[in-house]
Every structure is written in C-alpha cells, then in structure tokens.
Amino acid sequence: MSTMTLLPVIDAAACCAPLTRDAMTQSQAEDLAKSLKAIADPARLRLISIIAASEGQEACVCDLTEPLNIGQPTVSHHLRVLTDAGFVTRSKRGTWAYYKLVPGALDSIARLLVTA
C-alpha cells in the first residue's frame, strides 16, 4: 500500500479575511484557488453532496458510480482529486474503498465568502 501525502484544505478563516474585507496575498490566493478548483466540477460537487448525505457522511465507492452515471475510472479520478485536496478521506475495507468528508473542510471555504 502506497503512502500518499494529503494536501491540507486551506482554512480560509485562519489565512484570509472574507473576500470583501481585506486583500489576499498572492500565496493565499494561489492556495485558495487550488482548493476551489478541486470542487469546481459538477461531478465532484455531486460526489461531495452524496457523501455528505450518506450515513456518517461516508460512502462506499460502489455506491457512487450509479448516481453520477459515469464510469468507475472517472469517479475514481474525481475522488482522488477531492482526496488530494483534503475534502475527503479514503479508507480501504476489503476490496472496497470508503470516502468520508473531512470535518470542517467545506466550512472554511464558506466562511471566506461570507460578507458579514
């Protein structure tokens, strides 16, 4: 089993004020853009939604291909992007992989967009 280094999701609240308050640094903008790019895909947004709606916010990969109506290799690619970006974690159980939302990963992006 290979060891994979996860890229942490940017905690927007820690690194940046909401977009309407203070200007971001170049580095902050680049980091945030990487996180946003990872979720800026309809299939990935649906995967996040399906996982979030699943019991325990966890879903087997076997349950993720049919709702998207795309092939398993494509679903796996999207899940890898989400995993590498730190939005979901992957655990192996027997022959199946299970994906779980990382607590707070989406909250930090949402807080960035709040104007209050």
Side-chain angles (χ1 to χ4, degrees):
M1 183 174 189
S2 66
T3 303
M4 181 180 3
T5 302
L6 296 179
L7 300 175
V9 172
I10 299 304
D11 183 354
C15 83
C16 318
L19 291 175
T20 57
R21 283 199 205 147
D22 297 318
M24 287 183 197
T25 66
Q26 179 67 27
S27 176
Q28 290 169 333
E30 289 170 1
D31 289 343
L32 180 60
K34 289 176 189 174
S35 291
L36 291 173
K37 184 177 179 182
I39 62 170
D41 179 278
R44 292 183 204 137
L45 289 172
R46 293 222 33 231
L47 285 167
I48 288 171
S49 175
I50 293 166
I51 294 167
S54 298
E55 186 176 332
Q57 295 189 325
E58 181 179 56
C60 178
V61 69
C62 61
D63 296 324
L64 297 173
T65 54
E66 186 178 327
L68 270 62
N69 198 29
I70 56 178
Q72 185 275 325
T74 304
V75 170
S76 291
H77 163 74
H78 288 305
L79 288 166
R80 176 160 181 128
V81 170
L82 292 171
T83 301
D84 289 349
F87 289 106
V88 298
T89 59
R90 178 182 184 269
S91 62
K92 189 95 165 151
R93 297 183 201 150
T95 59
W96 297 109
Y98 286 79
Y99 291 85
K100 185 173 180 96
L101 289 183
V102 172
L106 295 172
D107 296 341
S108 66
I109 290 177
R111 282 192 301 272
L112 176 72
L113 300 175
V114 174
T115 60

PDB file of all heavy atoms in Angstrom, residues 84-106:
ATOM      1  N   ASP A  84      -6.931  14.344  -2.612  1.00  0.00           N
ATOM      2  CA  ASP A  84      -5.666  15.090  -2.648  1.00  0.00           C
ATOM      3  C   ASP A  84      -5.840  16.527  -2.147  1.00  0.00           C
ATOM      4  O   ASP A  84      -4.928  17.091  -1.551  1.00  0.00           O
ATOM      5  CB  ASP A  84      -5.085  15.111  -4.060  1.00  0.00           C
ATOM      6  CG  ASP A  84      -4.540  13.761  -4.497  1.00  0.00           C
ATOM      7  OD1 ASP A  84      -4.418  12.844  -3.650  1.00  0.00           O
ATOM      8  OD2 ASP A  84      -4.251  13.610  -5.706  1.00  0.00           O
ATOM      9  N   ALA A  85      -7.029  17.092  -2.386  1.00  0.00           N
ATOM     10  CA  ALA A  85      -7.300  18.460  -1.951  1.00  0.00           C
ATOM     11  C   ALA A  85      -7.698  18.522  -0.479  1.00  0.00           C
ATOM     12  O   ALA A  85      -7.803  19.601   0.087  1.00  0.00           O
ATOM     13  CB  ALA A  85      -8.398  19.078  -2.809  1.00  0.00           C
ATOM     14  N   GLY A  86      -7.919  17.376   0.143  1.00  0.00           N
ATOM     15  CA  GLY A  86      -8.241  17.347   1.564  1.00  0.00           C
ATOM     16  C   GLY A  86      -9.709  17.469   1.902  1.00  0.00           C
ATOM     17  O   GLY A  86     -10.055  17.690   3.059  1.00  0.00           O
ATOM     18  N   PHE A  87     -10.589  17.332   0.918  1.00  0.00           N
ATOM     19  CA  PHE A  87     -12.020  17.416   1.187  1.00  0.00           C
ATOM     20  C   PHE A  87     -12.595  16.094   1.687  1.00  0.00           C
ATOM     21  O   PHE A  87     -13.577  16.094   2.422  1.00  0.00           O
ATOM     22  CB  PHE A  87     -12.790  17.878  -0.054  1.00  0.00           C
ATOM     23  CG  PHE A  87     -12.557  19.320  -0.377  1.00  0.00           C
ATOM     24  CD1 PHE A  87     -11.759  19.677  -1.448  1.00  0.00           C
ATOM     25  CD2 PHE A  87     -13.112  20.318   0.398  1.00  0.00           C
ATOM     26  CE1 PHE A  87     -11.527  21.010  -1.744  1.00  0.00           C
ATOM     27  CE2 PHE A  87     -12.885  21.656   0.115  1.00  0.00           C
ATOM     28  CZ  PHE A  87     -12.090  22.003  -0.961  1.00  0.00           C
ATOM     29  N   VAL A  88     -12.040  14.979   1.245  1.00  0.00           N
ATOM     30  CA  VAL A  88     -12.486  13.662   1.700  1.00  0.00           C
ATOM     31  C   VAL A  88     -11.279  12.814   2.069  1.00  0.00           C
ATOM     32  O   VAL A  88     -10.159  13.083   1.627  1.00  0.00           O
ATOM     33  CB  VAL A  88     -13.344  12.919   0.632  1.00  0.00           C
ATOM     34  CG1 VAL A  88     -14.621  13.676   0.299  1.00  0.00           C
ATOM     35  CG2 VAL A  88     -12.547  12.643  -0.636  1.00  0.00           C
ATOM     36  N   THR A  89     -11.532  11.804   2.894  1.00  0.00           N
ATOM     37  CA  THR A  89     -10.501  10.815   3.204  1.00  0.00           C
ATOM     38  C   THR A  89     -10.942   9.484   2.634  1.00  0.00           C
ATOM     39  O   THR A  89     -12.131   9.254   2.406  1.00  0.00           O
ATOM     40  CB  THR A  89     -10.275  10.670   4.720  1.00  0.00           C
ATOM     41  OG1 THR A  89     -11.511  10.284   5.341  1.00  0.00           O
ATOM     42  CG2 THR A  89      -9.767  11.955   5.336  1.00  0.00           C
ATOM     43  N   ARG A  90      -9.992   8.609   2.432  1.00  0.00           N
ATOM     44  CA  ARG A  90     -10.255   7.294   1.851  1.00  0.00           C
ATOM     45  C   ARG A  90      -9.763   6.225   2.807  1.00  0.00           C
ATOM     46  O   ARG A  90      -8.668   6.322   3.345  1.00  0.00           O
ATOM     47  CB  ARG A  90      -9.499   7.169   0.524  1.00  0.00           C
ATOM     48  CG  ARG A  90      -9.640   5.848  -0.166  1.00  0.00           C
ATOM     49  CD  ARG A  90      -8.786   5.862  -1.447  1.00  0.00           C
ATOM     50  NE  ARG A  90      -8.946   4.665  -2.201  1.00  0.00           N
ATOM     51  CZ  ARG A  90      -8.191   3.572  -2.072  1.00  0.00           C
ATOM     52  NH1 ARG A  90      -7.200   3.554  -1.201  1.00  0.00           N
ATOM     53  NH2 ARG A  90      -8.413   2.509  -2.805  1.00  0.00           N
ATOM     54  N   SER A  91     -10.609   5.217   3.008  1.00  0.00           N
ATOM     55  CA  SER A  91     -10.179   4.066   3.791  1.00  0.00           C
ATOM     56  C   SER A  91     -10.574   2.805   3.023  1.00  0.00           C
ATOM     57  O   SER A  91     -11.602   2.783   2.349  1.00  0.00           O
ATOM     58  CB  SER A  91     -10.801   4.071   5.190  1.00  0.00           C
ATOM     59  OG  SER A  91     -12.211   3.981   5.114  1.00  0.00           O
ATOM     60  N   LYS A  92      -9.733   1.815   3.118  1.00  0.00           N
ATOM     61  CA  LYS A  92      -9.947   0.559   2.396  1.00  0.00           C
ATOM     62  C   LYS A  92     -10.504  -0.473   3.364  1.00  0.00           C
ATOM     63  O   LYS A  92      -9.980  -0.660   4.459  1.00  0.00           O
ATOM     64  CB  LYS A  92      -8.600   0.101   1.821  1.00  0.00           C
ATOM     65  CG  LYS A  92      -8.689  -1.052   0.894  1.00  0.00           C
ATOM     66  CD  LYS A  92      -8.752  -0.565  -0.521  1.00  0.00           C
ATOM     67  CE  LYS A  92      -8.464  -1.770  -1.414  1.00  0.00           C
ATOM     68  NZ  LYS A  92      -9.080  -1.709  -2.668  1.00  0.00           N
ATOM     69  N   ARG A  93     -11.581  -1.132   2.955  1.00  0.00           N
ATOM     70  CA  ARG A  93     -12.180  -2.215   3.735  1.00  0.00           C
ATOM     71  C   ARG A  93     -12.407  -3.377   2.789  1.00  0.00           C
ATOM     72  O   ARG A  93     -13.315  -3.327   1.958  1.00  0.00           O
ATOM     73  CB  ARG A  93     -13.500  -1.785   4.355  1.00  0.00           C
ATOM     74  CG  ARG A  93     -13.338  -0.660   5.342  1.00  0.00           C
ATOM     75  CD  ARG A  93     -14.643  -0.294   5.988  1.00  0.00           C
ATOM     76  NE  ARG A  93     -14.546   1.055   6.509  1.00  0.00           N
ATOM     77  CZ  ARG A  93     -15.555   1.873   6.617  1.00  0.00           C
ATOM     78  NH1 ARG A  93     -16.765   1.490   6.262  1.00  0.00           N
ATOM     79  NH2 ARG A  93     -15.380   3.084   7.101  1.00  0.00           N
ATOM     80  N   GLY A  94     -11.574  -4.372   2.918  1.00  0.00           N
ATOM     81  CA  GLY A  94     -11.645  -5.491   1.979  1.00  0.00           C
ATOM     82  C   GLY A  94     -11.300  -5.007   0.589  1.00  0.00           C
ATOM     83  O   GLY A  94     -10.268  -4.382   0.378  1.00  0.00           O
ATOM     84  N   THR A  95     -12.198  -5.239  -0.351  1.00  0.00           N
ATOM     85  CA  THR A  95     -11.948  -4.812  -1.731  1.00  0.00           C
ATOM     86  C   THR A  95     -12.542  -3.438  -2.026  1.00  0.00           C
ATOM     87  O   THR A  95     -12.361  -2.921  -3.123  1.00  0.00           O
ATOM     88  CB  THR A  95     -12.530  -5.828  -2.734  1.00  0.00           C
ATOM     89  OG1 THR A  95     -13.944  -5.941  -2.508  1.00  0.00           O
ATOM     90  CG2 THR A  95     -11.868  -7.180  -2.582  1.00  0.00           C
ATOM     91  N   TRP A  96     -13.245  -2.849  -1.073  1.00  0.00           N
ATOM     92  CA  TRP A  96     -13.928  -1.591  -1.314  1.00  0.00           C
ATOM     93  C   TRP A  96     -13.233  -0.414  -0.640  1.00  0.00           C
ATOM     94  O   TRP A  96     -12.660  -0.541   0.426  1.00  0.00           O
ATOM     95  CB  TRP A  96     -15.377  -1.657  -0.816  1.00  0.00           C
ATOM     96  CG  TRP A  96     -16.190  -2.669  -1.544  1.00  0.00           C
ATOM     97  CD1 TRP A  96     -16.639  -3.855  -1.050  1.00  0.00           C
ATOM     98  CD2 TRP A  96     -16.633  -2.610  -2.901  1.00  0.00           C
ATOM     99  NE1 TRP A  96     -17.336  -4.534  -2.023  1.00  0.00           N
ATOM    100  CE2 TRP A  96     -17.341  -3.792  -3.171  1.00  0.00           C
ATOM    101  CE3 TRP A  96     -16.485  -1.679  -3.922  1.00  0.00           C
ATOM    102  CZ2 TRP A  96     -17.910  -4.057  -4.406  1.00  0.00           C
ATOM    103  CZ3 TRP A  96     -17.055  -1.945  -5.162  1.00  0.00           C
ATOM    104  CH2 TRP A  96     -17.765  -3.127  -5.384  1.00  0.00           C
ATOM    105  N   ALA A  97     -13.339   0.729  -1.287  1.00  0.00           N
ATOM    106  CA  ALA A  97     -12.834   1.980  -0.720  1.00  0.00           C
ATOM    107  C   ALA A  97     -14.024   2.797  -0.240  1.00  0.00           C
ATOM    108  O   ALA A  97     -15.055   2.873  -0.912  1.00  0.00           O
ATOM    109  CB  ALA A  97     -12.050   2.765  -1.769  1.00  0.00           C
ATOM    110  N   TYR A  98     -13.878   3.373   0.933  1.00  0.00           N
ATOM    111  CA  TYR A  98     -14.907   4.229   1.516  1.00  0.00           C
ATOM    112  C   TYR A  98     -14.366   5.646   1.616  1.00  0.00           C
ATOM    113  O   TYR A  98     -13.216   5.859   1.994  1.00  0.00           O
ATOM    114  CB  TYR A  98     -15.307   3.723   2.907  1.00  0.00           C
ATOM    115  CG  TYR A  98     -16.151   2.477   2.848  1.00  0.00           C
ATOM    116  CD1 TYR A  98     -15.564   1.239   2.621  1.00  0.00           C
ATOM    117  CD2 TYR A  98     -17.529   2.546   2.998  1.00  0.00           C
ATOM    118  CE1 TYR A  98     -16.338   0.085   2.556  1.00  0.00           C
ATOM    119  CE2 TYR A  98     -18.311   1.395   2.935  1.00  0.00           C
ATOM    120  CZ  TYR A  98     -17.709   0.174   2.714  1.00  0.00           C
ATOM    121  OH  TYR A  98     -18.476  -0.960   2.641  1.00  0.00           O
ATOM    122  N   TYR A  99     -15.224   6.596   1.286  1.00  0.00           N
ATOM    123  CA  TYR A  99     -14.844   8.004   1.308  1.00  0.00           C
ATOM    124  C   TYR A  99     -15.682   8.733   2.343  1.00  0.00           C
ATOM    125  O   TYR A  99     -16.886   8.518   2.445  1.00  0.00           O
ATOM    126  CB  TYR A  99     -15.024   8.633  -0.077  1.00  0.00           C
ATOM    127  CG  TYR A  99     -14.017   8.077  -1.052  1.00  0.00           C
ATOM    128  CD1 TYR A  99     -14.263   6.897  -1.728  1.00  0.00           C
ATOM    129  CD2 TYR A  99     -12.797   8.706  -1.247  1.00  0.00           C
ATOM    130  CE1 TYR A  99     -13.322   6.354  -2.595  1.00  0.00           C
ATOM    131  CE2 TYR A  99     -11.848   8.180  -2.107  1.00  0.00           C
ATOM    132  CZ  TYR A  99     -12.126   7.001  -2.777  1.00  0.00           C
ATOM    133  OH  TYR A  99     -11.188   6.480  -3.629  1.00  0.00           O
ATOM    134  N   LYS A 100     -15.014   9.587   3.111  1.00  0.00           N
ATOM    135  CA  LYS A 100     -15.664  10.315   4.196  1.00  0.00           C
ATOM    136  C   LYS A 100     -15.267  11.783   4.098  1.00  0.00           C
ATOM    137  O   LYS A 100     -14.117  12.106   3.793  1.00  0.00           O
ATOM    138  CB  LYS A 100     -15.216   9.728   5.536  1.00  0.00           C
ATOM    139  CG  LYS A 100     -15.915  10.314   6.738  1.00  0.00           C
ATOM    140  CD  LYS A 100     -15.530   9.542   7.989  1.00  0.00           C
ATOM    141  CE  LYS A 100     -16.207  10.115   9.193  1.00  0.00           C
ATOM    142  NZ  LYS A 100     -17.428   9.447   9.560  1.00  0.00           N
ATOM    143  N   LEU A 101     -16.221  12.675   4.361  1.00  0.00           N
ATOM    144  CA  LEU A 101     -15.914  14.100   4.365  1.00  0.00           C
ATOM    145  C   LEU A 101     -14.971  14.435   5.511  1.00  0.00           C
ATOM    146  O   LEU A 101     -15.097  13.893   6.603  1.00  0.00           O
ATOM    147  CB  LEU A 101     -17.187  14.926   4.520  1.00  0.00           C
ATOM    148  CG  LEU A 101     -18.146  14.969   3.339  1.00  0.00           C
ATOM    149  CD1 LEU A 101     -19.308  15.899   3.659  1.00  0.00           C
ATOM    150  CD2 LEU A 101     -17.446  15.431   2.078  1.00  0.00           C
ATOM    151  N   VAL A 102     -14.047  15.318   5.246  1.00  0.00           N
ATOM    152  CA  VAL A 102     -13.157  15.826   6.282  1.00  0.00           C
ATOM    153  C   VAL A 102     -13.948  16.897   7.047  1.00  0.00           C
ATOM    154  O   VAL A 102     -14.417  17.867   6.434  1.00  0.00           O
ATOM    155  CB  VAL A 102     -11.871  16.418   5.676  1.00  0.00           C
ATOM    156  CG1 VAL A 102     -11.050  17.123   6.736  1.00  0.00           C
ATOM    157  CG2 VAL A 102     -11.069  15.342   4.978  1.00  0.00           C
ATOM    158  N   PRO A 103     -14.118  16.712   8.345  1.00  0.00           N
ATOM    159  CA  PRO A 103     -14.893  17.693   9.112  1.00  0.00           C
ATOM    160  C   PRO A 103     -14.334  19.106   8.955  1.00  0.00           C
ATOM    161  O   PRO A 103     -13.143  19.342   9.112  1.00  0.00           O
ATOM    162  CB  PRO A 103     -14.745  17.207  10.566  1.00  0.00           C
ATOM    163  CG  PRO A 103     -14.428  15.748  10.443  1.00  0.00           C
ATOM    164  CD  PRO A 103     -13.615  15.622   9.178  1.00  0.00           C
ATOM    165  N   GLY A 104     -15.213  20.044   8.616  1.00  0.00           N
ATOM    166  CA  GLY A 104     -14.833  21.450   8.512  1.00  0.00           C
ATOM    167  C   GLY A 104     -14.182  21.864   7.204  1.00  0.00           C
ATOM    168  O   GLY A 104     -13.949  23.046   6.992  1.00  0.00           O
ATOM    169  N   ALA A 105     -13.892  20.920   6.323  1.00  0.00           N
ATOM    170  CA  ALA A 105     -13.187  21.272   5.087  1.00  0.00           C
ATOM    171  C   ALA A 105     -13.985  22.243   4.222  1.00  0.00           C
ATOM    172  O   ALA A 105     -13.423  23.187   3.664  1.00  0.00           O
ATOM    173  CB  ALA A 105     -12.844  20.016   4.287  1.00  0.00           C
ATOM    174  N   LEU A 106     -15.271  22.039   4.120  1.00  0.00           N
ATOM    175  CA  LEU A 106     -16.098  22.940   3.318  1.00  0.00           C
ATOM    176  C   LEU A 106     -16.462  24.206   4.087  1.00  0.00           C
ATOM    177  O   LEU A 106     -16.666  25.258   3.491  1.00  0.00           O
ATOM    178  CB  LEU A 106     -17.360  22.219   2.853  1.00  0.00           C
ATOM    179  CG  LEU A 106     -17.109  21.050   1.906  1.00  0.00           C
ATOM    180  CD1 LEU A 106     -18.404  20.288   1.654  1.00  0.00           C
ATOM    181  CD2 LEU A 106     -16.514  21.536   0.592  1.00  0.00           C
TER     182      LEU A 106
END
